Amino acid sequence: MNPNRFSSKLGVALALAIGSVSINAYAQFNKPQDAIKYRQSSFFVMQQNFARLAAMAQGKTPFNAKEAAEYGQVASLMARQPWQAFGPGTEGGKSLPLIWNENAKFQTASKNFIQKMDALQAATQSGNLDRIKAAVSAAGADCKSCHDAFRD
Ligand code: ASC
């Protein structure tokens, strides 16, 4: 085999191997309070957009496909934000110690949640209200299960 080809294959294999075991990277914050504020703010913006979709799904506000697609995009983007702000030394807010003590579980839960929010975004892009209803309900159940486990 051509050695260049081999090394590029090795590079890909290494990247895949590292990717599969990597944990979420933590961002640097000037002080722990900034990390807490960052995660609470991103949860807040996500929740506001999620709640607008939930209101449409429940018929509390009129369904508007274009607005729904925008809310879905913001919710999916925000769903990626909080986790980088749960680094060591940032305990506090409503976070239970379990987040740090059993961090692998929290990592798994956060990745699962991002998938739920991405499914919701995909549903909003489809413009199909029944799909949105199902995805809102799946994502909402996931919000709750994480809160029950990890939030005070
Ligand atoms: C929300 C919100 C949550 C979820 C959850 C759904 O709007 O703040 O935590 O939905 O209540 O079960």
Side-chain angles (χ1 to χ4, degrees):
M1 195 194 302
N2 169 333
N4 285 335
R5 201 169 160 76
F6 176 73
S7 78
S8 91
K9 275 193 179 166
L10 186 65
V12 169
L14 274 173
L16 288 173
I18 293 165
S20 67
V21 295
S22 76
I23 58 164
N24 290 332
Y26 297 121
Q28 293 295 317
F29 293 92
N30 287 333
K31 42 188 197 295
Q33 207 53 44
D34 285 352
I36 294 171
K37 195 170 169 182
Y38 188 95
R39 65 202 188 213
Q40 290 183 344
S41 306
S42 44
F43 279 129
F44 179 75
V45 174
M46 181 177 67
Q47 188 277 335
Q48 293 292 297
N49 284 270
F50 176 76
R52 294 170 191 164
L53 290 171
M56 286 185 195
Q58 292 156 11
K60 291 180 183 162
T61 56
F63 176 52
N64 178 316
K66 186 172 177 288
E67 286 173 6
E70 287 173 9
Y71 303 151
Q73 278 190 321
V74 178
S76 157
L77 187 64
M78 286 303 123
R80 293 171 156 69
Q81 300 305 311
W83 324 110
Q84 64 188 271
F86 284 95
T90 68
E91 292 84 348
K94 294 182 178 177
S95 302
L96 289 177
L98 192 66
I99 291 173
W100 290 272
N101 297 342
E102 294 189 40
N103 190 249
K105 282 187 187 167
F106 186 66
Q107 298 272 344
T108 302
S110 67
K111 282 173 186 151
N112 189 38
F113 179 69
I114 291 170
Q115 286 176 0
K116 292 283 194 306
M117 276 295 165
D118 283 353
L120 177 57
Q121 188 201 357
T124 64
Q125 299 297 315
S126 79
N128 178 326
L129 185 57
D130 284 333
R131 258 188 84 181
I132 295 172
K133 284 181 186 173
V136 160
S137 132
D142 212 58
C143 295
K144 185 176 181 325
S145 75
C146 236
H147 290 161
D148 290 350
F150 300 109
R151 186 176 72 165
D152 193 1

